[in-house]
Amino acid sequence: MAAVTSSANATSKKKGLNPIIIIGSLFFILGFVTWLNSVLIPYLKIACQLTNSESYLVASSFYIACLLMAKPSAWLLKLLGFKNGMVAGLALMGIGALIFIPAALTRTYAIFLIGLFIQGCGSAVLQSASNPYITIVGPPESAAKRISIMGICNKFAGVLAPLALGAVILNNIDGFDASLVNLSAADKIAQLNELASRVIVPYLLIIVVLVILSVLIYFSGLPEIDTDHEDETVAAANSGKTSIAQFPHLVLGVIALFLYVGAEVIAGDSIIGYGSSHHIPLSTAKYFASGTLTCMVIGYIVGILFIPKYITQQKALVLCAILGVVLTALALFTPKYISISCIALLGLANSLMWPAMWPLALAGLGRFTKIGSSLLVMGIAGAAVFPPIYGLLVDKISAQTAYVILIPMYLFILYYAVAGYKVGKKAVA
């Protein structure tokens, strides 16, 4: 690992920008595109006249790609390497964004979902390349610190995304549904078509940014890392291993990450609708998702300052899981604004889970790192599974009580943080 890292650093100094800056820009655009979903859910619910459960298919279409693209992502990275894999991911995201234009012009929800799915495919490839890269480009004990820096880039973009898109597509949205009641069928369709068309210009701008960034990455001096190389300790521990299934700490890590991403997306993507369920105007509620993301940024800053100097990444994961359970319990039983604040504060609980899980799950994988990282990316599919379940619970019970789904999710993450990450790792020094 040390040899690979020093070689990468030397190459980056000779050829241009530090890898941290390059990967940081990728995490920023990835965060911007991903967290637009928190605005797209209430927007498409109105524009396409959907139920709550139907509207949460926005998250499902985007994140289910991570499940389906796990194996193809690993194959693509083996074929292209990390850098060109990042370029391929950006290109796919651009194609998905382009599909939003015919979707808006025809106001067809299925086409929107196809565009989101292709964006999700690009995101999966980009995640498969960038997350293990930033994990192994430096010392393993400070991996959570580096990922926290990436998290700030990602979640700062997440703070900006709902504000920027919300200002355009949710402008004067309060009372829009009510105003449709007294319109003729033709006028109602005209109003809904106008609302759907608001998404075109923002996504054209996103396409331009994705193209520019992919060109910059392609011509950058980003060094390649040989994950097939293993030091003596890792090689001895992995002797005779032929399958990724022989690393139970990774398998449990995939499950933990699957649950974590589901919890994170529920907290971020549902909070606008949750505020609306309390009769808070959308013109106000549209800012709530940025509050959740701001809490995540604060958590990342804490991680950068304290990991590994004062606290290990494993202990940080324990504390975050406990905080998730406590905040969820409070959200279930407190009044309106306090409950909404607890959901926003879940951003703080969620912040260091991703940075801590990746190095814990990838530890000791050696030549299995690329396939291991693709399986972890597959865990992102939790965001496709749990938000629609939350949406169904909202339709059946209430938006507040539906958050009970988060409790068992955080409890499993707590188990992984305490014991699961050690399973099967006794032979590793």
Side-chain angles (χ1 to χ4, degrees), residues 28-29 32-33 36 90 93-101 119 161 164-165 168-169 197-214:
F28 181 89
I29 191 63
F32 196 92
V33 172
L36 290 175
L90 288 168
M93 290 175 73
I95 293 170
L98 185 63
I99 290 174
F100 263 47
I101 296 172
Q119 288 176 54
L165 189 64
V168 176
I169 68 175
S197 69
R198 294 183 188 181
V199 82
I200 294 176
V201 172
Y203 271 82
L204 282 173
L205 293 175
I206 288 170
I207 293 166
V208 171
V209 172
L210 288 169
V211 169
I212 292 173
L213 187 56
S214 63

Side-chain angles (χ1 to χ4, degrees), residues 45-67:
K45 181 175 182 287
I46 297 172
C48 297
Q49 299 290 280
L50 310 170
T51 65
N52 283 306
S53 55
E54 287 172 340
S55 69
Y56 279 99
L57 289 175
V58 165
S60 294
S61 295
F62 186 88
Y63 290 109
I64 198 65
C66 296
L67 178 65

